[in-house]
Amino acid sequence: MLIVESLLLLLTEDSGRPEGWSSDNDLMLRGALLSDLMLAGRIEADTARTARRPRMRIVDATPTGHPVLDDALAVLSAKNGKRISSALTWDDLRPHDAAGTSLVKAGVLTKSTGATPGAAAEPAEPAAPTGAAPSAVPAFPTRDPRPEAELRERLYGEIAGTRAPDAQDSALLTLLQSTDAAWRILRAERTGLRRSGLAQRIKEIAEQAPVTGAIKEAIASISSAVGVISARTRSAAAAT
């Protein structure tokens, strides 16, 4: 699965409802989608102007063959050269619907557009074209729980050090940690770590990711931007 697909499974209850404790789901999902495109060699983080506010640059517009990535790449042409933070907060980038539809086609999820998640599932529909009026946000109840269970077991193994982390899982864990969601998603009784210990272990995994230094820095820049935006949003909400 793509990073964005794996993240959607972790952030969604079996009923199709988003995890109620997090308001950063869309932000993290966009970060996951950008990370997928980074690993696919389609975009990069341009730090020529400033390392603290990198810009997203499309370096290869060739289709990847995966609809979720290719649709996002086409939409992101409007953000070419803009700050990564601009893409992370852009409503035209809809990773939730795209990843959900992809997992419906794979038989992992079902789709419901009823008022209550878990209502009768409907066939997957194509995403609304850019600029169209947004429709009701679909819910994606679980159809096959095995992929998420296998994902969780893999992550627990990587945290325990009994399994070597791959680039995708490293990026996934880093994104979860960027909004302090990792300790909620990954149960302490399975990791054997406290909140701070888990954060340190995820940092170690990110440093060990089997990718080039440039890609590692690019993934880190995405997660850092996600964390900054999340903190800023929470601070603004607390002030109101």
Side-chain angles (χ1 to χ4, degrees), residues 1-9 12 26 29-30 32-34 36-37 66-76 91-111 124-128 135-140:
M1 289 187 293
L2 299 174
I3 302 170
V4 69
E5 293 172 329
S6 295
L7 183 58
L8 180 63
L9 293 182
T12 307
D26 285 340
L29 287 168
R30 291 191 187 104
L33 188 53
L34 293 183
D36 277 315
L37 288 168
H66 197 299
V68 173
L69 299 187
D70 293 342
D71 289 349
L73 190 59
V75 171
L76 282 169
D91 289 340
D92 280 1
L93 197 61
R94 296 196 265 273
H96 175 273
D97 294 1
T101 298
S102 178
L103 290 170
V104 168
K105 292 179 179 178
V108 179
L109 304 176
T110 58
K111 182 178 180 180
E125 299 175 358
S135 56
V137 177
F140 294 103

Side-chain angles (χ1 to χ4, degrees), residues 1-232:
M1 289 187 293
L2 299 174
I3 302 170
V4 69
E5 293 172 329
S6 295
L7 183 58
L8 180 63
L9 293 182
L10 295 176
L11 296 177
T12 307
E13 297 178 356
D14 287 350
S15 65
R17 289 185 174 90
E19 292 287 356
W21 46 262
S22 178
S23 60
D24 297 317
N25 287 5
D26 285 340
L27 180 61
M28 284 190 286
L29 287 168
R30 291 191 187 104
L33 188 53
L34 293 183
S35 298
D36 277 315
L37 288 168
M38 290 275 187
L39 290 176
R42 297 309 190 269
I43 64 175
E44 68 177 17
D46 185 354
T47 59
R49 298 185 186 181
T50 170
R52 294 184 61 186
R53 296 181 178 180
R55 295 176 182 270
M56 186 204 72
R57 190 162 69 90
I58 296 175
V59 294
D60 184 356
T62 305
T64 66
H66 197 299
V68 173
L69 299 187
D70 293 342
D71 289 349
L73 190 59
V75 171
L76 282 169
S77 62
K79 291 292 181 179
N80 193 20
K82 303 292 185 180
R83 289 175 181 166
I84 286 177
S85 57
S86 177
L88 289 172
T89 56
W90 195 34
D91 289 340
D92 280 1
L93 197 61
R94 296 196 265 273
H96 175 273
D97 294 1
T101 298
S102 178
L103 290 170
V104 168
K105 292 179 179 178
V108 179
L109 304 176
T110 58
K111 182 178 180 180
S112 171
T113 53
T116 303
E122 298 180 359
E125 299 175 358
T130 302
S135 56
V137 177
F140 294 103
T142 299
R143 179 178 182 182
D144 182 356
R146 290 174 296 179
E148 181 179 353
E150 292 169 359
L151 167 63
R152 287 179 176 275
E153 287 303 313
R154 191 170 72 242
L155 294 177
Y156 288 133
E158 291 165 358
I159 290 170
T162 59
R163 179 188 178 98
D166 60 23
Q168 289 181 309
D169 288 347
S170 174
L172 174 61
L173 288 168
T174 303
L175 278 167
L176 286 173
Q177 186 56 39
S178 70
T179 63
D180 200 28
W183 70 277
R184 296 178 184 271
I185 291 288
L186 302 169
R187 302 180 184 88
E189 61 267 26
R190 292 298 311 276
T191 65
L193 298 171
R194 294 178 181 272
R195 192 170 179 174
S196 59
L198 179 59
Q200 178 59 36
R201 178 58 186 143
I202 290 175
K203 181 179 179 180
E204 294 170 355
I205 290 174
E207 293 171 349
Q208 299 164 3
V211 293
T212 66
I215 293 179
K216 192 177 297 184
E217 290 177 6
I219 297 295
S221 70
I222 293 173
S223 295
S224 177
V226 168
V228 169
I229 295 169
S230 172
R232 186 184 303 146

